[in-house]
């Protein structure tokens, strides 16, 4: 809710000074006013980082109900594997779930 007003505020207050002017690494901290693409990216990143990884529940259930002690490496492997599988399936089904206009 506060992304657009905060973006407009930052675009007005952050300096437009160019650092390393004339050099290969020339940059500015204020590229201009916020646009729709930036707003969408901020929303996606915020939603991706706001939740927890569902595989953590699997690790917790194994520890609590089955009384098995999993090592840190094994727990990390389970969590990363489930996340990578999810992103992989999302990439496989992108043609059917994202690209058709009816899905939007």
């Amino acid at each position: 809710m506060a992304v657009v007003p905060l973006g407009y505020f930052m675009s007005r207050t952050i300096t437009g000074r160019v650092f390393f002017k004339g050099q290969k690494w020339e940059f500015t901290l204020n590229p201009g006013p916020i646009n729709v693409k930036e707003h969408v990216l901020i929303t996606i990143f915020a939603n991706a980082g706001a939740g927890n990884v569902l595989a953590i529940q699997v690790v917790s259930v194994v520890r609590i109900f089955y009384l098995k002690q999993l090592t840190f490496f094994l727990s990390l492997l389970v969590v990363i594997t489930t996340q990578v599988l999810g992103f992989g399936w999302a990439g496989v089904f992108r043609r059917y779930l994202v690209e058709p206009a009816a899905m939007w």
Side-chain angles (χ1 to χ4, degrees), residues 95-104:
R95 180 187 317 164
Y96 308 109
L97 298 176
V98 177
E99 291 177 1
M103 295 299 176
W104 287 80

Side-chain angles (χ1 to χ4, degrees), residues 32-77:
I34 190 168
N35 57 25
V36 175
K37 289 188 283 185
E38 290 171 343
H39 184 262
V40 169
L41 281 175
I42 291 168
T43 305
I44 289 171
F45 290 150
N47 287 327
N52 60 350
V53 179
L54 295 179
I56 298 295
Q57 296 173 354
V58 173
V59 173
S60 299
V61 164
V62 168
R63 284 187 176 182
I64 294 170
F65 292 112
Y66 296 108
L67 302 175
K68 301 283 184 186
Q69 291 298 324
L70 299 177
T71 63
F72 173 76
F73 178 73
L74 184 60
S75 301
L76 183 67
L77 188 66

Side-chain angles (χ1 to χ4, degrees), residues 1-10 34 39 42:
M1 296 281 295
V3 170
V4 174
L6 188 62
Y8 284 129
F9 173 74
M10 289 176 67
I34 190 168
H39 184 262
I42 291 168

